[in-house]
Amino acid sequence: MAIALAHPKHGYYRTRDPLGRAGDFITAPEISQTFGELLGLWSAVVWQTIGLPQPVSLVELGPGRGTLMKDALRAARRVPEFLAALEVHLVETSPALKTLQEGALRESGPALHWHAEVTTLPARASIVIANEFFDALPVRQFVRTKDGWAERMIGEKDGALCWTAGEPLLDDSIIPADLRGAAEGSIYEISPAAQGVIEQLAAVINQNGGGLLIIDYGHVRSALGDTLQAVKAHQYHDPLKHPGEADITCHVDFEALASAARRAGLGVFGPRPQGEFLRALGIEQRLETLVAQNPEMEEELRGGVERLIDPGQMGRMFKVMAMGKKDVPAFPGFD
Ligand code: SAH
């Protein structure tokens, strides 16, 4: 997964802009401007909640085309003191997307800084947003074989990639105790990379204050199951076919992220379904204002918001979880 997505020459994210109708998939900020706008105002209120630190970093992990941040910064103009206090930090590995982000954000106002990983973010109060970022981080899978749990590996057969199992684990304590007795063929996933990102951000937030907002598709409780999936041109695709040509993701295990955050001393809000969260932030009111201002775009505007909040579309499958210093007052959308 790491090689297929991030190989310097052939990696999926290194070589293209995967987003949008012409790309392989489409994300919330590309569907409706209200998404980034509400998250910009969410950030401003979090900034007030944590005591108006100056300066403050507004950080985005995996900013795609820069659309979310652009909409967020436009909305943040309503809170000029916040806009004046903030510096924008973007964590991005893709040169192609970084170029698009530069173009989208050049005229937004605040100073812009790019990072290849979270480890180089400055030690200061930080409000961090990650939409569809954690699902792109590589996972390890374990499979229950007749001889016990083994790591699921990728081999080669007749010139094609295939699944295999490694040697049975001598110590299977990596599998949660209540899942260890699962039936043969069961699969369990962990994401050490995702936990590493949480630990890094927890260190920054514990020391300097801040908040982290994670929006992604995934499950509320750790569970068995193979969630690795590949998508190419808006269609599901065999993850072992055309590595580097298809997007590969996994469902986010919110319980695992919450546990990592709590172990690192943070407080956790949610997860709650995206539809509920966006409604709590006032997406419907914002929609009516936009419709009144742009009546000729009514259908498109309503369709976009519907897609984000409808439980049958993105409203339930996508979840929102926030983290902050322990005992911080509830962040907006979680009170
Ligand atoms: N947040 C955007 C894009 C989601 S796609 C949106 O909602 O539209 C995933 C993003 O994460 C892309 O920008 C991709 O280049 C970036 N990304 C994937 N793996 C990464 C990694 N390991 N480190 C930093 N960025 C990564």
Side-chain angles (χ1 to χ4, degrees), residues 139-144 149-152 173-176 178-179 182 185-191 195 219 221-227 253 255-256:
V139 293
R140 292 173 71 187
Q141 290 187 330
F142 297 90
V143 55
R144 175 75 201 234
W149 287 95
E151 182 145 13
R152 202 172 181 219
S173 58
I174 199 161
I175 315 293
D178 56 329
L179 302 178
S186 301
I187 289 177
Y188 181 69
E189 293 173 351
I190 60 169
S191 181
Q195 298 191 18
H219 36 277
R221 297 263 162 268
S222 299
L224 295 169
D226 169 18
T227 76
D253 180 346
E255 185 177 1

PDB file of all heavy atoms in Angstrom, residues 139-144 149-152 173-176 178-179 182 185-191 195 219 221-227 253 255-256:
ATOM      1  N   VAL A 139      -1.938  -0.018   5.949  1.00  0.00           N
ATOM      2  CA  VAL A 139      -2.302  -0.903   7.060  1.00  0.00           C
ATOM      3  C   VAL A 139      -1.477  -2.181   6.979  1.00  0.00           C
ATOM      4  O   VAL A 139      -0.923  -2.527   5.938  1.00  0.00           O
ATOM      5  CB  VAL A 139      -3.794  -1.304   7.025  1.00  0.00           C
ATOM      6  CG1 VAL A 139      -4.679  -0.106   7.284  1.00  0.00           C
ATOM      7  CG2 VAL A 139      -4.155  -1.998   5.741  1.00  0.00           C
ATOM      8  N   ARG A 140      -1.428  -2.887   8.093  1.00  0.00           N
ATOM      9  CA  ARG A 140      -0.975  -4.276   8.115  1.00  0.00           C
ATOM     10  C   ARG A 140      -2.211  -5.124   8.349  1.00  0.00           C
ATOM     11  O   ARG A 140      -3.086  -4.739   9.117  1.00  0.00           O
ATOM     12  CB  ARG A 140       0.013  -4.506   9.267  1.00  0.00           C
ATOM     13  CG  ARG A 140       1.333  -3.785   9.076  1.00  0.00           C
ATOM     14  CD  ARG A 140       2.188  -3.898  10.308  1.00  0.00           C
ATOM     15  NE  ARG A 140       2.709  -5.249  10.491  1.00  0.00           N
ATOM     16  CZ  ARG A 140       3.386  -5.651  11.584  1.00  0.00           C
ATOM     17  NH1 ARG A 140       3.605  -4.792  12.572  1.00  0.00           N
ATOM     18  NH2 ARG A 140       3.832  -6.867  11.675  1.00  0.00           N
ATOM     19  N   GLN A 141      -2.264  -6.253   7.670  1.00  0.00           N
ATOM     20  CA  GLN A 141      -3.392  -7.171   7.873  1.00  0.00           C
ATOM     21  C   GLN A 141      -2.880  -8.483   8.445  1.00  0.00           C
ATOM     22  O   GLN A 141      -1.792  -8.941   8.076  1.00  0.00           O
ATOM     23  CB  GLN A 141      -4.100  -7.471   6.542  1.00  0.00           C
ATOM     24  CG  GLN A 141      -4.873  -6.300   5.986  1.00  0.00           C
ATOM     25  CD  GLN A 141      -5.684  -6.713   4.762  1.00  0.00           C
ATOM     26  OE1 GLN A 141      -5.299  -7.626   4.023  1.00  0.00           O
ATOM     27  NE2 GLN A 141      -6.805  -6.040   4.542  1.00  0.00           N
ATOM     28  N   PHE A 142      -3.697  -9.066   9.298  1.00  0.00           N
ATOM     29  CA  PHE A 142      -3.390 -10.387   9.853  1.00  0.00           C
ATOM     30  C   PHE A 142      -4.530 -11.319   9.502  1.00  0.00           C
ATOM     31  O   PHE A 142      -5.690 -10.907   9.485  1.00  0.00           O
ATOM     32  CB  PHE A 142      -3.202 -10.295  11.371  1.00  0.00           C
ATOM     33  CG  PHE A 142      -2.031  -9.412  11.722  1.00  0.00           C
ATOM     34  CD1 PHE A 142      -2.223  -8.050  11.911  1.00  0.00           C
ATOM     35  CD2 PHE A 142      -0.749  -9.933  11.800  1.00  0.00           C
ATOM     36  CE1 PHE A 142      -1.142  -7.219  12.193  1.00  0.00           C
ATOM     37  CE2 PHE A 142       0.336  -9.102  12.081  1.00  0.00           C
ATOM     38  CZ  PHE A 142       0.137  -7.746  12.269  1.00  0.00           C
ATOM     39  N   VAL A 143      -4.188 -12.570   9.190  1.00  0.00           N
ATOM     40  CA  VAL A 143      -5.211 -13.522   8.789  1.00  0.00           C
ATOM     41  C   VAL A 143      -5.146 -14.723   9.722  1.00  0.00           C
ATOM     42  O   VAL A 143      -4.062 -15.180  10.107  1.00  0.00           O
ATOM     43  CB  VAL A 143      -5.048 -13.912   7.300  1.00  0.00           C
ATOM     44  CG1 VAL A 143      -3.658 -14.436   6.992  1.00  0.00           C
ATOM     45  CG2 VAL A 143      -6.101 -14.928   6.862  1.00  0.00           C
ATOM     46  N   ARG A 144      -6.321 -15.233  10.106  1.00  0.00           N
ATOM     47  CA  ARG A 144      -6.370 -16.402  10.964  1.00  0.00           C
ATOM     48  C   ARG A 144      -6.222 -17.649  10.073  1.00  0.00           C
ATOM     49  O   ARG A 144      -7.090 -17.907   9.252  1.00  0.00           O
ATOM     50  CB  ARG A 144      -7.709 -16.405  11.714  1.00  0.00           C
ATOM     51  CG  ARG A 144      -7.972 -17.626  12.556  1.00  0.00           C
ATOM     52  CD  ARG A 144      -7.151 -17.605  13.812  1.00  0.00           C
ATOM     53  NE  ARG A 144      -7.056 -18.952  14.325  1.00  0.00           N
ATOM     54  CZ  ARG A 144      -7.378 -19.319  15.555  1.00  0.00           C
ATOM     55  NH1 ARG A 144      -7.751 -18.435  16.437  1.00  0.00           N
ATOM     56  NH2 ARG A 144      -7.285 -20.559  15.916  1.00  0.00           N
ATOM     57  N   TRP A 149      -2.758 -17.038  13.987  1.00  0.00           N
ATOM     58  CA  TRP A 149      -2.722 -15.755  13.270  1.00  0.00           C
ATOM     59  C   TRP A 149      -1.383 -15.579  12.552  1.00  0.00           C
ATOM     60  O   TRP A 149      -0.334 -15.900  13.103  1.00  0.00           O
ATOM     61  CB  TRP A 149      -2.933 -14.598  14.241  1.00  0.00           C
ATOM     62  CG  TRP A 149      -4.348 -14.497  14.704  1.00  0.00           C
ATOM     63  CD1 TRP A 149      -4.886 -15.027  15.836  1.00  0.00           C
ATOM     64  CD2 TRP A 149      -5.415 -13.835  14.020  1.00  0.00           C
ATOM     65  NE1 TRP A 149      -6.230 -14.733  15.918  1.00  0.00           N
ATOM     66  CE2 TRP A 149      -6.586 -14.004  14.828  1.00  0.00           C
ATOM     67  CE3 TRP A 149      -5.518 -13.116  12.837  1.00  0.00           C
ATOM     68  CZ2 TRP A 149      -7.821 -13.472  14.451  1.00  0.00           C
ATOM     69  CZ3 TRP A 149      -6.751 -12.589  12.468  1.00  0.00           C
ATOM     70  CH2 TRP A 149      -7.891 -12.766  13.268  1.00  0.00           C
ATOM     71  N   ALA A 150      -1.444 -15.077  11.310  1.00  0.00           N
ATOM     72  CA  ALA A 150      -0.232 -14.807  10.540  1.00  0.00           C
ATOM     73  C   ALA A 150      -0.401 -13.478   9.831  1.00  0.00           C
ATOM     74  O   ALA A 150      -1.531 -13.037   9.580  1.00  0.00           O
ATOM     75  CB  ALA A 150      -0.024 -15.908   9.500  1.00  0.00           C
ATOM     76  N   GLU A 151       0.698 -12.807   9.540  1.00  0.00           N
ATOM     77  CA  GLU A 151       0.560 -11.562   8.781  1.00  0.00           C
ATOM     78  C   GLU A 151       0.187 -11.896   7.348  1.00  0.00           C
ATOM     79  O   GLU A 151       0.702 -12.842   6.746  1.00  0.00           O
ATOM     80  CB  GLU A 151       1.861 -10.746   8.822  1.00  0.00           C
ATOM     81  CG  GLU A 151       1.704  -9.429   8.074  1.00  0.00           C
ATOM     82  CD  GLU A 151       2.463  -8.263   8.681  1.00  0.00           C
ATOM     83  OE1 GLU A 151       3.317  -8.497   9.559  1.00  0.00           O
ATOM     84  OE2 GLU A 151       2.179  -7.115   8.281  1.00  0.00           O
ATOM     85  N   ARG A 152      -0.736 -11.121   6.782  1.00  0.00           N
ATOM     86  CA  ARG A 152      -1.117 -11.324   5.393  1.00  0.00           C
ATOM     87  C   ARG A 152      -0.064 -10.633   4.530  1.00  0.00           C
ATOM     88  O   ARG A 152       0.284  -9.468   4.766  1.00  0.00           O
ATOM     89  CB  ARG A 152      -2.488 -10.709   5.154  1.00  0.00           C
ATOM     90  CG  ARG A 152      -3.191 -11.292   3.951  1.00  0.00           C
ATOM     91  CD  ARG A 152      -4.612 -10.773   3.907  1.00  0.00           C
ATOM     92  NE  ARG A 152      -5.342 -11.319   2.782  1.00  0.00           N
ATOM     93  CZ  ARG A 152      -6.200 -10.617   2.059  1.00  0.00           C
ATOM     94  NH1 ARG A 152      -6.431  -9.351   2.340  1.00  0.00           N
ATOM     95  NH2 ARG A 152      -6.836 -11.182   1.050  1.00  0.00           N
ATOM     96  N   SER A 173      -0.437 -11.274  20.519  1.00  0.00           N
ATOM     97  CA  SER A 173      -1.086 -10.270  21.368  1.00  0.00           C
ATOM     98  C   SER A 173      -1.415  -8.991  20.597  1.00  0.00           C
ATOM     99  O   SER A 173      -2.111  -8.114  21.114  1.00  0.00           O
ATOM    100  CB  SER A 173      -0.197  -9.948  22.579  1.00  0.00           C
ATOM    101  OG  SER A 173       1.054  -9.499  22.148  1.00  0.00           O
ATOM    102  N   ILE A 174      -0.930  -8.885  19.349  1.00  0.00           N
ATOM    103  CA  ILE A 174      -1.280  -7.726  18.513  1.00  0.00           C
ATOM    104  C   ILE A 174      -2.766  -7.789  18.129  1.00  0.00           C
ATOM    105  O   ILE A 174      -3.394  -6.771  17.821  1.00  0.00           O
ATOM    106  CB  ILE A 174      -0.351  -7.687  17.273  1.00  0.00           C
ATOM    107  CG1 ILE A 174      -0.343  -6.305  16.632  1.00  0.00           C
ATOM    108  CG2 ILE A 174      -0.720  -8.735  16.224  1.00  0.00           C
ATOM    109  CD1 ILE A 174       0.854  -6.062  15.736  1.00  0.00           C
ATOM    110  N   ILE A 175      -3.358  -8.993  18.161  1.00  0.00           N
ATOM    111  CA  ILE A 175      -4.788  -9.162  17.873  1.00  0.00           C
ATOM    112  C   ILE A 175      -5.553  -8.976  19.185  1.00  0.00           C
ATOM    113  O   ILE A 175      -5.214  -9.600  20.188  1.00  0.00           O
ATOM    114  CB  ILE A 175      -5.086 -10.588  17.332  1.00  0.00           C
ATOM    115  CG1 ILE A 175      -4.072 -11.016  16.268  1.00  0.00           C
ATOM    116  CG2 ILE A 175      -6.530 -10.717  16.853  1.00  0.00           C
ATOM    117  CD1 ILE A 175      -4.122 -10.257  14.978  1.00  0.00           C
ATOM    118  N   PRO A 176      -6.592  -8.112  19.219  1.00  0.00           N
ATOM    119  CA  PRO A 176      -7.329  -7.913  20.471  1.00  0.00           C
ATOM    120  C   PRO A 176      -7.856  -9.242  21.013  1.00  0.00           C
ATOM    121  O   PRO A 176      -8.301 -10.101  20.243  1.00  0.00           O
ATOM    122  CB  PRO A 176      -8.493  -7.005  20.069  1.00  0.00           C
ATOM    123  CG  PRO A 176      -8.076  -6.363  18.788  1.00  0.00           C
ATOM    124  CD  PRO A 176      -7.131  -7.308  18.117  1.00  0.00           C
ATOM    125  N   ASP A 178     -10.501 -10.335  22.410  1.00  0.00           N
ATOM    126  CA  ASP A 178     -11.843 -10.841  22.094  1.00  0.00           C
ATOM    127  C   ASP A 178     -11.988 -11.264  20.634  1.00  0.00           C
ATOM    128  O   ASP A 178     -13.002 -11.837  20.251  1.00  0.00           O
ATOM    129  CB  ASP A 178     -12.906  -9.792  22.457  1.00  0.00           C
ATOM    130  CG  ASP A 178     -12.656  -8.460  21.780  1.00  0.00           C
ATOM    131  OD1 ASP A 178     -11.475  -8.117  21.540  1.00  0.00           O
ATOM    132  OD2 ASP A 178     -13.637  -7.760  21.463  1.00  0.00           O
ATOM    133  N   LEU A 179     -10.990 -10.969  19.804  1.00  0.00           N
ATOM    134  CA  LEU A 179     -11.073 -11.347  18.384  1.00  0.00           C
ATOM    135  C   LEU A 179     -10.140 -12.511  18.056  1.00  0.00           C
ATOM    136  O   LEU A 179     -10.188 -13.082  16.971  1.00  0.00           O
ATOM    137  CB  LEU A 179     -10.703 -10.149  17.483  1.00  0.00           C
ATOM    138  CG  LEU A 179     -11.545  -8.884  17.654  1.00  0.00           C
ATOM    139  CD1 LEU A 179     -11.032  -7.773  16.746  1.00  0.00           C
ATOM    140  CD2 LEU A 179     -13.015  -9.161  17.350  1.00  0.00           C
ATOM    141  N   ALA A 182     -11.208 -15.956  16.461  1.00  0.00           N
ATOM    142  CA  ALA A 182     -12.047 -15.862  15.256  1.00  0.00           C
ATOM    143  C   ALA A 182     -11.826 -17.044  14.317  1.00  0.00           C
ATOM    144  O   ALA A 182     -10.801 -17.721  14.372  1.00  0.00           O
ATOM    145  CB  ALA A 182     -11.739 -14.560  14.520  1.00  0.00           C
ATOM    146  N   GLY A 185      -9.617 -17.807   8.279  1.00  0.00           N
ATOM    147  CA  GLY A 185      -9.923 -16.922   7.152  1.00  0.00           C
ATOM    148  C   GLY A 185     -10.234 -15.490   7.600  1.00  0.00           C
ATOM    149  O   GLY A 185     -10.246 -14.573   6.783  1.00  0.00           O
ATOM    150  N   SER A 186     -10.491 -15.291   8.910  1.00  0.00           N
ATOM    151  CA  SER A 186     -10.792 -13.930   9.390  1.00  0.00           C
ATOM    152  C   SER A 186      -9.576 -13.031   9.221  1.00  0.00           C
ATOM    153  O   SER A 186      -8.437 -13.478   9.329  1.00  0.00           O
ATOM    154  CB  SER A 186     -11.158 -13.960  10.875  1.00  0.00           C
ATOM    155  OG  SER A 186     -12.261 -14.783  11.100  1.00  0.00           O
ATOM    156  N   ILE A 187      -9.853 -11.757   8.995  1.00  0.00           N
ATOM    157  CA  ILE A 187      -8.775 -10.785   8.788  1.00  0.00           C
ATOM    158  C   ILE A 187      -8.911  -9.649   9.795  1.00  0.00           C
ATOM    159  O   ILE A 187     -10.026  -9.208  10.091  1.00  0.00           O
ATOM    160  CB  ILE A 187      -8.808 -10.253   7.340  1.00  0.00           C
ATOM    161  CG1 ILE A 187      -8.345 -11.379   6.397  1.00  0.00           C
ATOM    162  CG2 ILE A 187      -7.939  -9.011   7.169  1.00  0.00           C
ATOM    163  CD1 ILE A 187      -8.397 -11.045   4.946  1.00  0.00           C
ATOM    164  N   TYR A 188      -7.768  -9.208  10.325  1.00  0.00           N
ATOM    165  CA  TYR A 188      -7.765  -8.083  11.264  1.00  0.00           C
ATOM    166  C   TYR A 188      -6.724  -7.073  10.787  1.00  0.00           C
ATOM    167  O   TYR A 188      -5.618  -7.449  10.389  1.00  0.00           O
ATOM    168  CB  TYR A 188      -7.422  -8.572  12.683  1.00  0.00           C
ATOM    169  CG  TYR A 188      -7.424  -7.457  13.680  1.00  0.00           C
ATOM    170  CD1 TYR A 188      -8.613  -6.829  14.040  1.00  0.00           C
ATOM    171  CD2 TYR A 188      -6.232  -6.994  14.238  1.00  0.00           C
ATOM    172  CE1 TYR A 188      -8.611  -5.774  14.932  1.00  0.00           C
ATOM    173  CE2 TYR A 188      -6.228  -5.933  15.139  1.00  0.00           C
ATOM    174  CZ  TYR A 188      -7.423  -5.335  15.473  1.00  0.00           C
ATOM    175  OH  TYR A 188      -7.426  -4.283  16.344  1.00  0.00           O
ATOM    176  N   GLU A 189      -7.102  -5.785  10.803  1.00  0.00           N
ATOM    177  CA  GLU A 189      -6.205  -4.741  10.274  1.00  0.00           C
ATOM    178  C   GLU A 189      -5.731  -3.809  11.383  1.00  0.00           C
ATOM    179  O   GLU A 189      -6.501  -3.467  12.286  1.00  0.00           O
ATOM    180  CB  GLU A 189      -6.959  -3.861   9.261  1.00  0.00           C
ATOM    181  CG  GLU A 189      -7.353  -4.562   8.003  1.00  0.00           C
ATOM    182  CD  GLU A 189      -8.252  -3.712   7.109  1.00  0.00           C
ATOM    183  OE1 GLU A 189      -8.712  -2.628   7.531  1.00  0.00           O
ATOM    184  OE2 GLU A 189      -8.507  -4.155   5.977  1.00  0.00           O
ATOM    185  N   ILE A 190      -4.503  -3.364  11.264  1.00  0.00           N
ATOM    186  CA  ILE A 190      -4.029  -2.273  12.126  1.00  0.00           C
ATOM    187  C   ILE A 190      -3.302  -1.253  11.249  1.00  0.00           C
ATOM    188  O   ILE A 190      -2.814  -1.586  10.174  1.00  0.00           O
ATOM    189  CB  ILE A 190      -3.063  -2.754  13.239  1.00  0.00           C
ATOM    190  CG1 ILE A 190      -1.818  -3.411  12.634  1.00  0.00           C
ATOM    191  CG2 ILE A 190      -3.756  -3.705  14.189  1.00  0.00           C
ATOM    192  CD1 ILE A 190      -0.725  -3.650  13.664  1.00  0.00           C
ATOM    193  N   SER A 191      -3.267  -0.010  11.719  1.00  0.00           N
ATOM    194  CA  SER A 191      -2.543   1.008  10.971  1.00  0.00           C
ATOM    195  C   SER A 191      -1.517   1.688  11.878  1.00  0.00           C
ATOM    196  O   SER A 191      -1.817   2.695  12.515  1.00  0.00           O
ATOM    197  CB  SER A 191      -3.496   2.055  10.387  1.00  0.00           C
ATOM    198  OG  SER A 191      -2.731   3.001   9.655  1.00  0.00           O
ATOM    199  N   GLN A 195      -1.574   5.511  13.790  1.00  0.00           N
ATOM    200  CA  GLN A 195      -1.323   5.712  15.224  1.00  0.00           C
ATOM    201  C   GLN A 195      -0.116   6.616  15.442  1.00  0.00           C
ATOM    202  O   GLN A 195      -0.101   7.437  16.355  1.00  0.00           O
ATOM    203  CB  GLN A 195      -1.134   4.361  15.899  1.00  0.00           C
ATOM    204  CG  GLN A 195      -2.413   3.546  15.768  1.00  0.00           C
ATOM    205  CD  GLN A 195      -2.430   2.298  16.627  1.00  0.00           C
ATOM    206  OE1 GLN A 195      -1.648   2.186  17.560  1.00  0.00           O
ATOM    207  NE2 GLN A 195      -3.315   1.390  16.309  1.00  0.00           N
ATOM    208  N   HIS A 219     -15.246   2.576  10.680  1.00  0.00           N
ATOM    209  CA  HIS A 219     -16.108   1.974  11.696  1.00  0.00           C
ATOM    210  C   HIS A 219     -15.782   2.506  13.080  1.00  0.00           C
ATOM    211  O   HIS A 219     -14.649   2.870  13.384  1.00  0.00           O
ATOM    212  CB  HIS A 219     -16.042   0.455  11.650  1.00  0.00           C
ATOM    213  CG  HIS A 219     -14.677  -0.083  11.324  1.00  0.00           C
ATOM    214  ND1 HIS A 219     -14.219  -0.195  10.034  1.00  0.00           N
ATOM    215  CD2 HIS A 219     -13.684  -0.500  12.106  1.00  0.00           C
ATOM    216  CE1 HIS A 219     -12.989  -0.677  10.052  1.00  0.00           C
ATOM    217  NE2 HIS A 219     -12.634  -0.862  11.303  1.00  0.00           N
ATOM    218  N   ARG A 221     -16.175   0.867  15.963  1.00  0.00           N
ATOM    219  CA  ARG A 221     -15.534  -0.140  16.822  1.00  0.00           C
ATOM    220  C   ARG A 221     -14.546  -0.960  16.012  1.00  0.00           C
ATOM    221  O   ARG A 221     -14.820  -1.304  14.861  1.00  0.00           O
ATOM    222  CB  ARG A 221     -16.579  -1.124  17.372  1.00  0.00           C
ATOM    223  CG  ARG A 221     -17.615  -0.494  18.251  1.00  0.00           C
ATOM    224  CD  ARG A 221     -17.278  -0.650  19.736  1.00  0.00           C
ATOM    225  NE  ARG A 221     -18.044   0.301  20.510  1.00  0.00           N
ATOM    226  CZ  ARG A 221     -17.631   1.533  20.848  1.00  0.00           C
ATOM    227  NH1 ARG A 221     -16.430   1.957  20.512  1.00  0.00           N
ATOM    228  NH2 ARG A 221     -18.395   2.350  21.517  1.00  0.00           N
ATOM    229  N   SER A 222     -13.436  -1.349  16.634  1.00  0.00           N
ATOM    230  CA  SER A 222     -12.491  -2.247  15.972  1.00  0.00           C
ATOM    231  C   SER A 222     -13.212  -3.564  15.688  1.00  0.00           C
ATOM    232  O   SER A 222     -13.940  -4.069  16.537  1.00  0.00           O
ATOM    233  CB  SER A 222     -11.295  -2.532  16.875  1.00  0.00           C
ATOM    234  OG  SER A 222     -10.615  -1.333  17.175  1.00  0.00           O
ATOM    235  N   ALA A 223     -13.013  -4.094  14.505  1.00  0.00           N
ATOM    236  CA  ALA A 223     -13.725  -5.324  14.130  1.00  0.00           C
ATOM    237  C   ALA A 223     -12.895  -6.114  13.143  1.00  0.00           C
ATOM    238  O   ALA A 223     -11.933  -5.597  12.575  1.00  0.00           O
ATOM    239  CB  ALA A 223     -15.067  -4.971  13.503  1.00  0.00           C
ATOM    240  N   LEU A 224     -13.296  -7.349  12.935  1.00  0.00           N
ATOM    241  CA  LEU A 224     -12.649  -8.170  11.914  1.00  0.00           C
ATOM    242  C   LEU A 224     -13.097  -7.687  10.538  1.00  0.00           C
ATOM    243  O   LEU A 224     -14.168  -7.111  10.400  1.00  0.00           O
ATOM    244  CB  LEU A 224     -13.060  -9.632  12.088  1.00  0.00           C
ATOM    245  CG  LEU A 224     -12.592 -10.278  13.391  1.00  0.00           C
ATOM    246  CD1 LEU A 224     -13.284 -11.613  13.576  1.00  0.00           C
ATOM    247  CD2 LEU A 224     -11.072 -10.450  13.380  1.00  0.00           C
ATOM    248  N   GLY A 225     -12.298  -7.970   9.531  1.00  0.00           N
ATOM    249  CA  GLY A 225     -12.731  -7.674   8.169  1.00  0.00           C
ATOM    250  C   GLY A 225     -11.624  -7.078   7.330  1.00  0.00           C
ATOM    251  O   GLY A 225     -10.755  -6.380   7.851  1.00  0.00           O
ATOM    252  N   ASP A 226     -11.681  -7.390   6.056  1.00  0.00           N
ATOM    253  CA  ASP A 226     -10.715  -6.866   5.084  1.00  0.00           C
ATOM    254  C   ASP A 226     -11.343  -5.644   4.438  1.00  0.00           C
ATOM    255  O   ASP A 226     -12.305  -5.772   3.687  1.00  0.00           O
ATOM    256  CB  ASP A 226     -10.466  -7.978   4.049  1.00  0.00           C
ATOM    257  CG  ASP A 226      -9.680  -7.473   2.845  1.00  0.00           C
ATOM    258  OD1 ASP A 226      -9.041  -6.398   2.951  1.00  0.00           O
ATOM    259  OD2 ASP A 226      -9.706  -8.156   1.811  1.00  0.00           O
ATOM    260  N   THR A 227     -10.850  -4.450   4.753  1.00  0.00           N
ATOM    261  CA  THR A 227     -11.462  -3.239   4.185  1.00  0.00           C
ATOM    262  C   THR A 227     -10.603  -2.615   3.105  1.00  0.00           C
ATOM    263  O   THR A 227     -10.924  -1.541   2.599  1.00  0.00           O
ATOM    264  CB  THR A 227     -11.758  -2.168   5.265  1.00  0.00           C
ATOM    265  OG1 THR A 227     -10.526  -1.523   5.624  1.00  0.00           O
ATOM    266  CG2 THR A 227     -12.405  -2.773   6.497  1.00  0.00           C
ATOM    267  N   ASP A 253     -10.330   2.822  11.409  1.00  0.00           N
ATOM    268  CA  ASP A 253     -10.770   2.213  12.665  1.00  0.00           C
ATOM    269  C   ASP A 253     -10.764   3.325  13.730  1.00  0.00           C
ATOM    270  O   ASP A 253      -9.736   3.621  14.331  1.00  0.00           O
ATOM    271  CB  ASP A 253      -9.805   1.073  13.025  1.00  0.00           C
ATOM    272  CG  ASP A 253     -10.179   0.373  14.325  1.00  0.00           C
ATOM    273  OD1 ASP A 253     -11.003   0.913  15.090  1.00  0.00           O
ATOM    274  OD2 ASP A 253      -9.622  -0.713  14.569  1.00  0.00           O
ATOM    275  N   GLU A 255     -12.058   3.492  16.623  1.00  0.00           N
ATOM    276  CA  GLU A 255     -11.764   3.061  17.999  1.00  0.00           C
ATOM    277  C   GLU A 255     -10.247   3.022  18.228  1.00  0.00           C
ATOM    278  O   GLU A 255      -9.751   3.453  19.272  1.00  0.00           O
ATOM    279  CB  GLU A 255     -12.380   1.680  18.271  1.00  0.00           C
ATOM    280  CG  GLU A 255     -12.188   1.260  19.708  1.00  0.00           C
ATOM    281  CD  GLU A 255     -12.857  -0.073  20.045  1.00  0.00           C
ATOM    282  OE1 GLU A 255     -13.472  -0.703  19.162  1.00  0.00           O
ATOM    283  OE2 GLU A 255     -12.746  -0.482  21.211  1.00  0.00           O
ATOM    284  N   ALA A 256      -9.526   2.524  17.224  1.00  0.00           N
ATOM    285  CA  ALA A 256      -8.067   2.446  17.360  1.00  0.00           C
ATOM    286  C   ALA A 256      -7.457   3.855  17.445  1.00  0.00           C
ATOM    287  O   ALA A 256      -6.540   4.092  18.238  1.00  0.00           O
ATOM    288  CB  ALA A 256      -7.469   1.668  16.191  1.00  0.00           C
TER     289      ALA A 256
END
